[in-house]
Amino acid sequence: MATLYQIHSTMDTLRRSTNELALTWRAGDSILLLGATVAFVDWLNAYLGDADIEGITGIYALAEDVAQLSTTTTSQLKLNAKLTALLTDGEWVKLTQDTSFDKVVTIAL
């Protein structure tokens, strides 16, 4: 079984959030970026590398959160290449109830 980590973090706390995630990370786990955290996806990927976090099954974001970003920011981030999927609220709920996850952990520092 795997864990779905939900990260809601500012740029100032993203490294600390990634370090917290690394404490219990197992290959096959996934990450859901909440709120403005999706705007820091490049930093997240760098921090994941620093923490030697490997075997990520998926990195997701909520479509509603991405819609809050400016068109320029969204274009520059190239999220299609960095995210497994953008989720609607219904898809998010379904993902958290997916039987492939034995737990959902929210990290909000």
Side-chain angles (χ1 to χ4, degrees):
M1 298 299 264
T3 300
L4 174 63
Y5 290 92
Q6 300 180 136
I7 300 176
H8 193 279
S9 185
T10 64
M11 185 60 213
D12 294 340
T13 60
L14 186 59
R15 182 179 289 279
R16 198 167 95 210
S17 294
T18 306
N19 291 338
E20 288 295 318
L21 173 125
L23 295 174
T24 56
W25 182 265
R26 298 176 302 184
D29 290 348
S30 294
I31 300 168
L32 173 66
L33 305 176
L34 298 173
T37 311
V38 70
F40 314 125
V41 68
D42 291 324
W43 287 98
L44 173 71
N45 282 322
Y47 295 156
L48 293 172
D50 289 348
D52 293 324
I53 294 175
E54 298 178 355
I56 300 169
T57 297
I59 298 179
Y60 305 93
L62 297 177
E64 183 177 317
D65 293 340
V66 172
Q68 298 299 314
L69 302 174
S70 72
T71 306
T72 304
T73 300
T74 304
S75 173
Q76 290 174 342
L77 287 173
K78 298 180 173 62
L79 294 174
N80 290 340
K82 297 171 186 166
L83 299 175
T84 304
L86 287 177
L87 307 173
T88 64
D89 285 343
E91 291 167 332
W92 175 27
V93 170
K94 184 177 178 187
L95 183 67
T96 62
Q97 296 173 344
D98 188 334
T99 56
S100 64
F101 295 116
D102 59 334
K103 60 186 166 200
V104 176
V105 174
T106 302
I107 300 173
L109 301 172

